[in-house]
Amino acid sequence: MTILVTGGLGYIGSHTVVELLNNHFDVVIVDDLSNSEKFILDNIEEVTGKSPVYYPFDLKRRELLTQLLDAHKIDGCINFAAFKAVGESQVIPLDYYENNLFSLINILQEFKTRNISNFIFSSSCTVYGQADEMPIDENTPLKEAESSYGKTKQMGESILKDFATAYHKKVSLLRYFNPIGAHPSAKLGELPIGVPNNLIPYVTQTAAGIREKLSIWGDDYPTPDGTAIRDYIYVVDLAKAHVAALKKLINDPSETVIDIFNLGTGKGSSVLEVVHAFENANQVSVPYQICERRAGDITIAYANADKAEKELGWKADTSLEEALRTTWEWQQYLESRN
Ligand code: UDP
């Protein structure tokens, strides 16, 4: 079967392409390189020994998508192509709505017309807002998302539910917690573009001496050590969940399917625990200072991922330390390229 992977050269997309190829799917990638670089495609080929088809275009260009679908028989899609910086989405919300939703609707219009099903959507735990109870399971009520980015994910989910219901399609909405780490080959990982906002890239660059000090945003949260708690999931485990979710859709005999899965480890770790785990795993030090809380941050978010385990036969079992070791190896690789 041939799977269209949009954003397939991005952080989670590239790892998922590798897992798809390892599971004998053919892959057609569309990626406009707005948050990636061409060498990631070479590295996918090096890691897998296979050459996915690649198109460098923006999915808002419907006519280019039409041409692609005329040229390839596509059996499903994993849609990663989207802007994803929470803070930036507050500054340029219209660009977020335009990019994340227009491209999604273009693909769905084509799938509707061409009778293609099996659509997997990159969603996010941000759709829950600040949940009242932990852990967060799939029945936890969705609250208004805190950012325009989160709203594009909530809207994307609604669009897909309506799409599946009205046109009898199979869709899976995957709500990621905090993805971290890099491929064990050290050839794929999160590319550092600008000053990192997320914790792990900032920790890594601080350990590498690129940043002077990590700022820990708040140590007065109501948690055991005062720092905020998240559920950090290893990116390769996350990529494998996509293949499991895709296989479930393909094998499901029903005409209409709307799957929703939380993808996390089920375990929360505080910012200080992450910093110390990174130091232990890599035998490096990470200088830090405690600062004021960051606006918009929630205290605690971790998943109940039992549903994915039960229905997909999937579990995130890579330890935090192991994931953080791969991050450090990826950092060494990036430095060796310079
Ligand atoms: N964080 C931090 N310093 C940083 C970046 C993040 O203390 O430089 C904290 C942040 O306040 C949150 C956690 O690390 O509690 C995870 O933040 P990230 O931005 O990686 O993910 P989020 O859960 O906010 O999407």
Side-chain angles (χ1 to χ4, degrees), residues 86 125-126 178 196-203 214-218 221 227-230 232 271 293-294 297-299 301:
V86 173
C125 64
T126 54
N178 292 51
N197 282 310
N198 293 115
L199 179 63
I200 307 301
Y202 210 104
V203 165
L214 168 74
S215 297
I216 293 183
W217 307 123
Y221 284 103
T227 62
I229 291 177
R230 298 288 183 275
Y232 296 93
V271 178
R293 292 182 183 192
R294 182 169 73 174
D297 267 350
I298 55 179
T299 304

Side-chain angles (χ1 to χ4, degrees), residues 235-288:
V235 67
V236 176
D237 289 338
L238 187 59
K240 288 180 176 162
H242 290 74
V243 178
L246 177 66
K247 286 183 176 170
K248 178 179 178 295
L249 286 189
I250 291 168
N251 293 326
D252 197 318
S254 326
E255 216 184 12
T256 306
V257 179
I258 301 172
D259 278 340
I260 300 179
F261 293 110
N262 280 350
L263 300 179
T265 64
K267 183 175 173 291
S269 304
S270 74
V271 178
L272 276 172
E273 282 170 342
V274 169
V275 170
H276 296 317
F278 189 95
E279 292 181 323
N280 285 334
N282 300 311
Q283 296 299 309
V284 286
S285 75
V286 179
Y288 67 82

Side-chain angles (χ1 to χ4, degrees), residues 87-220:
E88 183 187 63
S89 79
Q90 299 298 85
V91 184
I92 49 167
L94 278 184
D95 296 292
Y96 270 68
Y97 292 117
E98 180 179 43
N99 189 62
N100 294 3
L101 298 178
F102 286 18
S103 58
L104 173 65
I105 290 170
N106 279 344
I107 306 168
L108 298 182
Q109 288 282 18
E110 292 287 338
F111 273 35
K112 178 195 76 183
T113 315
R114 292 166 191 267
N115 209 15
I116 310 173
S117 193
N118 303 320
F119 193 97
I120 297 198
F121 181 62
S122 281
S123 190
S124 161
C125 64
T126 54
V127 299
Y128 294 109
Q130 171 65 81
D132 293 326
E133 280 178 34
M134 289 299 135
I136 299 170
D137 69 25
E138 291 80 356
N139 295 320
T140 298
L142 304 192
K143 292 200 184 155
E144 168 127 343
E146 312 265 338
S147 65
S148 300
Y149 160 77
K151 287 176 195 161
T152 69
K153 293 297 172 191
Q154 289 182 333
M155 290 175 193
E157 287 198 358
S158 299
I159 290 167
L160 277 159
K161 285 180 187 164
D162 291 352
F163 168 77
T165 307
Y167 307 115
H168 309 293
K169 300 289 188 187
K170 299 193 268 188
V171 306
S172 193
L173 314 177
L174 303 184
R175 296 175 177 163
Y176 314 151
F177 281 69
N178 292 51
I180 60 163
H183 196 264
S185 65
K187 294 288 165 73
L188 304 170
E190 191 165 15
L191 283 173
I193 296 175
V195 180
N197 282 310
N198 293 115
L199 179 63
I200 307 301
Y202 210 104
V203 165
T204 310
Q205 291 193 6
T206 304
I210 301 167
R211 312 278 159 208
E212 197 191 328
K213 252 186 216 156
L214 168 74
S215 297
I216 293 183
W217 307 123
D219 71 346
D220 56 351

